[in-house]
Amino acid sequence: MATPSMEDYLERIYKLIDEKGYARVSDIAEGLAVHPSSVTKMIQKLDKDSYLVYEKYRGLILTPKGKKMGKRLVERHHLLEQFLEVIGVQEENIYADVEGIEHHLSWDSITCIEVLVEYFNRHPEASEQLKQLRAEMEAE
């Protein structure tokens, strides 16, 4: 089972590989605002847990297990951003809020949120009703 810290690294590595075709220690460190030595330690742990294969000075590749988890984590992050947008969270707060909650929700909760977001996407009138409800609540 991946820890929240492992999830952050896997998500970042997956995104880097998706965007650039590779993930360097320096890129991972910059993206997570950590020291390169911390990245190296975590990469070694992720290698030991079969999420990636790491060869010193040669780089890393995600295993099928790592790719699956990385993709799932990126999708979770995106889904939570959509959810917060739907319920009217101010845009400047969304990223920090997602970072704060993504590791504290069960996959069952994520699935329920996914169903709710899909419902609002298919029924824009419901989204408008939610906005009206929020405006009414704020006016009280």
Tab-separated table of all heavy atoms in Angstrom, residues 10-43:
chain	number	residue	atom	x	y	z
A	10	LEU	N	4.710	9.255	-7.097
A	10	LEU	CA	4.217	8.509	-8.264
A	10	LEU	C	3.403	9.399	-9.192
A	10	LEU	O	3.537	9.326	-10.417
A	10	LEU	CB	3.371	7.313	-7.815
A	10	LEU	CG	4.146	6.103	-7.338
A	10	LEU	CD1	3.221	5.093	-6.673
A	10	LEU	CD2	4.901	5.454	-8.496
A	11	GLU	N	2.576	10.243	-8.613
A	11	GLU	CA	1.774	11.169	-9.430
A	11	GLU	C	2.686	12.103	-10.218
A	11	GLU	O	2.507	12.308	-11.417
A	11	GLU	CB	0.841	11.963	-8.512
A	11	GLU	CG	-0.084	12.907	-9.250
A	11	GLU	CD	-1.025	13.676	-8.313
A	11	GLU	OE1	-1.042	13.408	-7.089
A	11	GLU	OE2	-1.735	14.543	-8.822
A	12	ARG	N	3.687	12.654	-9.553
A	12	ARG	CA	4.612	13.582	-10.210
A	12	ARG	C	5.421	12.876	-11.293
A	12	ARG	O	5.592	13.391	-12.400
A	12	ARG	CB	5.555	14.204	-9.171
A	12	ARG	CG	6.432	15.268	-9.741
A	12	ARG	CD	5.622	16.513	-10.057
A	12	ARG	NE	6.366	17.361	-10.949
A	12	ARG	CZ	5.878	17.959	-12.024
A	12	ARG	NH1	4.614	17.854	-12.323
A	12	ARG	NH2	6.632	18.687	-12.786
A	13	ILE	N	5.937	11.695	-10.997
A	13	ILE	CA	6.719	10.934	-11.974
A	13	ILE	C	5.864	10.592	-13.183
A	13	ILE	O	6.294	10.760	-14.335
A	13	ILE	CB	7.308	9.660	-11.322
A	13	ILE	CG1	8.385	10.036	-10.298
A	13	ILE	CG2	7.875	8.716	-12.386
A	13	ILE	CD1	8.802	8.906	-9.367
A	14	TYR	N	4.642	10.133	-12.941
A	14	TYR	CA	3.744	9.777	-14.037
A	14	TYR	C	3.488	10.988	-14.933
A	14	TYR	O	3.548	10.894	-16.153
A	14	TYR	CB	2.422	9.229	-13.482
A	14	TYR	CG	1.461	8.810	-14.565
A	14	TYR	CD1	1.517	7.523	-15.094
A	14	TYR	CD2	0.515	9.689	-15.077
A	14	TYR	CE1	0.651	7.126	-16.099
A	14	TYR	CE2	-0.353	9.307	-16.086
A	14	TYR	CZ	-0.285	8.030	-16.596
A	14	TYR	OH	-1.140	7.643	-17.592
A	15	LYS	N	3.222	12.143	-14.303
A	15	LYS	CA	2.961	13.354	-15.091
A	15	LYS	C	4.187	13.776	-15.897
A	15	LYS	O	4.061	14.165	-17.067
A	15	LYS	CB	2.497	14.487	-14.169
A	15	LYS	CG	1.069	14.308	-13.685
A	15	LYS	CD	0.689	15.297	-12.606
A	15	LYS	CE	0.408	16.651	-13.154
A	15	LYS	NZ	-0.117	17.565	-12.107
A	16	LEU	N	5.358	13.710	-15.288
A	16	LEU	CA	6.578	14.087	-16.010
A	16	LEU	C	6.815	13.180	-17.213
A	16	LEU	O	7.130	13.657	-18.308
A	16	LEU	CB	7.797	14.028	-15.075
A	16	LEU	CG	7.959	15.198	-14.116
A	16	LEU	CD1	8.984	14.869	-13.042
A	16	LEU	CD2	8.347	16.469	-14.870
A	17	ILE	N	6.676	11.886	-17.016
A	17	ILE	CA	6.881	10.942	-18.120
A	17	ILE	C	5.840	11.174	-19.209
A	17	ILE	O	6.161	11.140	-20.404
A	17	ILE	CB	6.875	9.484	-17.608
A	17	ILE	CG1	8.125	9.234	-16.762
A	17	ILE	CG2	6.790	8.496	-18.769
A	17	ILE	CD1	8.153	7.896	-16.050
A	18	ASP	N	4.612	11.451	-18.805
A	18	ASP	CA	3.543	11.717	-19.776
A	18	ASP	C	3.829	12.989	-20.579
A	18	ASP	O	3.626	13.028	-21.786
A	18	ASP	CB	2.200	11.834	-19.046
A	18	ASP	CG	1.024	11.907	-19.994
A	18	ASP	OD1	0.933	11.055	-20.911
A	18	ASP	OD2	0.178	12.821	-19.832
A	19	GLU	N	4.330	14.019	-19.899
A	19	GLU	CA	4.581	15.311	-20.550
A	19	GLU	C	5.895	15.354	-21.328
A	19	GLU	O	5.963	15.907	-22.416
A	19	GLU	CB	4.607	16.430	-19.499
A	19	GLU	CG	3.260	16.674	-18.842
A	19	GLU	CD	3.359	17.525	-17.569
A	19	GLU	OE1	4.464	18.025	-17.243
A	19	GLU	OE2	2.322	17.677	-16.895
A	20	LYS	N	6.973	14.785	-20.751
A	20	LYS	CA	8.302	14.933	-21.325
A	20	LYS	C	8.894	13.647	-21.880
A	20	LYS	O	9.886	13.686	-22.587
A	20	LYS	CB	9.262	15.469	-20.253
A	20	LYS	CG	8.886	16.836	-19.706
A	20	LYS	CD	9.719	17.191	-18.487
A	20	LYS	CE	11.010	17.807	-18.894
A	20	LYS	NZ	11.780	18.346	-17.750
A	21	GLY	N	8.307	12.517	-21.490
A	21	GLY	CA	8.855	11.244	-21.916
A	21	GLY	C	9.877	10.671	-20.940
A	21	GLY	O	10.357	9.562	-21.130
A	22	TYR	N	10.215	11.422	-19.913
A	22	TYR	CA	11.177	10.965	-18.914
A	22	TYR	C	10.951	11.757	-17.626
A	22	TYR	O	10.283	12.787	-17.629
A	22	TYR	CB	12.618	11.167	-19.388
A	22	TYR	CG	12.952	12.614	-19.708
A	22	TYR	CD1	13.457	13.453	-18.726
A	22	TYR	CD2	12.752	13.133	-20.985
A	22	TYR	CE1	13.758	14.787	-19.005
A	22	TYR	CE2	13.044	14.450	-21.279
A	22	TYR	CZ	13.545	15.272	-20.284
A	22	TYR	OH	13.826	16.586	-20.566
A	23	ALA	N	11.530	11.271	-16.547
A	23	ALA	CA	11.477	11.961	-15.257
A	23	ALA	C	12.863	11.918	-14.631
A	23	ALA	O	13.365	10.851	-14.315
A	23	ALA	CB	10.449	11.295	-14.341
A	24	ARG	N	13.472	13.076	-14.492
A	24	ARG	CA	14.785	13.171	-13.852
A	24	ARG	C	14.609	13.515	-12.380
A	24	ARG	O	13.630	14.145	-11.990
A	24	ARG	CB	15.633	14.255	-14.513
A	24	ARG	CG	15.965	13.978	-15.960
A	24	ARG	CD	16.863	15.047	-16.513
A	24	ARG	NE	16.310	16.374	-16.203
A	24	ARG	CZ	16.575	17.463	-16.883
A	24	ARG	NH1	17.387	17.417	-17.910
A	24	ARG	NH2	16.045	18.615	-16.541
A	25	VAL	N	15.584	13.136	-11.579
A	25	VAL	CA	15.556	13.438	-10.148
A	25	VAL	C	15.368	14.935	-9.932
A	25	VAL	O	14.564	15.364	-9.100
A	25	VAL	CB	16.835	12.916	-9.446
A	25	VAL	CG1	16.959	13.475	-8.037
A	25	VAL	CG2	16.845	11.390	-9.430
A	26	SER	N	16.075	15.743	-10.694
A	26	SER	CA	15.990	17.205	-10.517
A	26	SER	C	14.586	17.719	-10.834
A	26	SER	O	14.081	18.622	-10.149
A	26	SER	CB	17.029	17.918	-11.378
A	26	SER	OG	16.839	17.605	-12.751
A	27	ASP	N	13.936	17.157	-11.848
A	27	ASP	CA	12.578	17.575	-12.204
A	27	ASP	C	11.579	17.188	-11.116
A	27	ASP	O	10.668	17.951	-10.788
A	27	ASP	CB	12.142	16.942	-13.528
A	27	ASP	CG	12.967	17.415	-14.712
A	27	ASP	OD1	13.424	18.572	-14.686
A	27	ASP	OD2	13.149	16.619	-15.650
A	28	ILE	N	11.757	15.991	-10.589
A	28	ILE	CA	10.877	15.518	-9.522
A	28	ILE	C	11.061	16.395	-8.286
A	28	ILE	O	10.084	16.846	-7.676
A	28	ILE	CB	11.150	14.039	-9.187
A	28	ILE	CG1	10.896	13.158	-10.418
A	28	ILE	CG2	10.288	13.577	-8.016
A	28	ILE	CD1	11.495	11.757	-10.309
A	29	ALA	N	12.311	16.670	-7.926
A	29	ALA	CA	12.612	17.500	-6.757
A	29	ALA	C	12.003	18.892	-6.911
A	29	ALA	O	11.384	19.415	-5.973
A	29	ALA	CB	14.122	17.593	-6.555
A	30	GLU	N	12.148	19.469	-8.082
A	30	GLU	CA	11.602	20.802	-8.331
A	30	GLU	C	10.076	20.793	-8.229
A	30	GLU	O	9.479	21.660	-7.598
A	30	GLU	CB	12.033	21.292	-9.712
A	30	GLU	CG	11.525	22.686	-10.043
A	30	GLU	CD	11.929	23.127	-11.441
A	30	GLU	OE1	13.004	22.692	-11.924
A	30	GLU	OE2	11.158	23.886	-12.052
A	31	GLY	N	9.452	19.798	-8.841
A	31	GLY	CA	7.987	19.722	-8.838
A	31	GLY	C	7.382	19.495	-7.472
A	31	GLY	O	6.267	19.931	-7.195
A	32	LEU	N	8.117	18.811	-6.598
A	32	LEU	CA	7.607	18.514	-5.259
A	32	LEU	C	8.224	19.416	-4.182
A	32	LEU	O	7.889	19.289	-3.008
A	32	LEU	CB	7.882	17.045	-4.909
A	32	LEU	CG	7.142	16.021	-5.762
A	32	LEU	CD1	7.598	14.614	-5.408
A	32	LEU	CD2	5.633	16.153	-5.596
A	33	ALA	N	9.125	20.303	-4.601
A	33	ALA	CA	9.806	21.226	-3.689
A	33	ALA	C	10.516	20.466	-2.560
A	33	ALA	O	10.348	20.759	-1.378
A	33	ALA	CB	8.828	22.264	-3.126
A	34	VAL	N	11.303	19.467	-2.963
A	34	VAL	CA	12.097	18.685	-2.017
A	34	VAL	C	13.539	18.621	-2.528
A	34	VAL	O	13.815	18.963	-3.678
A	34	VAL	CB	11.533	17.250	-1.827
A	34	VAL	CG1	10.133	17.294	-1.222
A	34	VAL	CG2	11.524	16.477	-3.132
A	35	HIS	N	14.428	18.149	-1.684
A	35	HIS	CA	15.830	18.015	-2.071
A	35	HIS	C	16.020	16.774	-2.950
A	35	HIS	O	15.352	15.760	-2.756
A	35	HIS	CB	16.721	17.887	-0.836
A	35	HIS	CG	16.783	19.134	-0.028
A	35	HIS	ND1	17.488	20.242	-0.408
A	35	HIS	CD2	16.186	19.453	1.157
A	35	HIS	CE1	17.350	21.186	0.492
A	35	HIS	NE2	16.559	20.739	1.454
A	36	PRO	N	16.952	16.852	-3.900
A	36	PRO	CA	17.231	15.689	-4.746
A	36	PRO	C	17.560	14.427	-3.949
A	36	PRO	O	17.183	13.325	-4.350
A	36	PRO	CB	18.420	16.141	-5.605
A	36	PRO	CG	18.261	17.623	-5.692
A	36	PRO	CD	17.721	18.034	-4.336
A	37	SER	N	18.229	14.577	-2.815
A	37	SER	CA	18.557	13.397	-2.010
A	37	SER	C	17.283	12.715	-1.494
A	37	SER	O	17.230	11.484	-1.403
A	37	SER	CB	19.467	13.777	-0.836
A	37	SER	OG	18.830	14.734	-0.007
A	38	SER	N	16.254	13.497	-1.197
A	38	SER	CA	14.969	12.923	-0.768
A	38	SER	C	14.318	12.161	-1.913
A	38	SER	O	13.724	11.096	-1.710
A	38	SER	CB	14.017	14.021	-0.287
A	38	SER	OG	14.553	14.689	0.826
A	39	VAL	N	14.447	12.707	-3.116
A	39	VAL	CA	13.886	12.047	-4.297
A	39	VAL	C	14.582	10.709	-4.509
A	39	VAL	O	13.928	9.681	-4.744
A	39	VAL	CB	14.017	12.933	-5.558
A	39	VAL	CG1	13.570	12.172	-6.797
A	39	VAL	CG2	13.213	14.216	-5.395
A	40	THR	N	15.900	10.700	-4.406
A	40	THR	CA	16.660	9.461	-4.607
A	40	THR	C	16.225	8.392	-3.614
A	40	THR	O	16.013	7.236	-3.987
A	40	THR	CB	18.168	9.727	-4.509
A	40	THR	OG1	18.524	10.693	-5.514
A	40	THR	CG2	18.967	8.456	-4.719
A	41	LYS	N	16.065	8.775	-2.346
A	41	LYS	CA	15.621	7.810	-1.329
A	41	LYS	C	14.237	7.250	-1.671
A	41	LYS	O	14.006	6.045	-1.553
A	41	LYS	CB	15.590	8.464	0.051
A	41	LYS	CG	16.949	8.682	0.648
A	41	LYS	CD	16.841	9.382	1.994
A	41	LYS	CE	18.206	9.819	2.485
A	41	LYS	NZ	18.114	10.644	3.689
A	42	MET	N	13.325	8.130	-2.078
A	42	MET	CA	11.968	7.663	-2.388
A	42	MET	C	11.969	6.808	-3.655
A	42	MET	O	11.259	5.802	-3.722
A	42	MET	CB	11.012	8.840	-2.551
A	42	MET	CG	9.580	8.414	-2.853
A	42	MET	SD	8.815	7.315	-1.623
A	42	MET	CE	8.389	8.499	-0.363
A	43	ILE	N	12.764	7.169	-4.637
A	43	ILE	CA	12.850	6.359	-5.858
A	43	ILE	C	13.340	4.951	-5.514
A	43	ILE	O	12.832	3.962	-6.043
A	43	ILE	CB	13.765	7.047	-6.908
A	43	ILE	CG1	13.033	8.232	-7.526
A	43	ILE	CG2	14.192	6.059	-7.984
A	43	ILE	CD1	13.874	9.054	-8.473
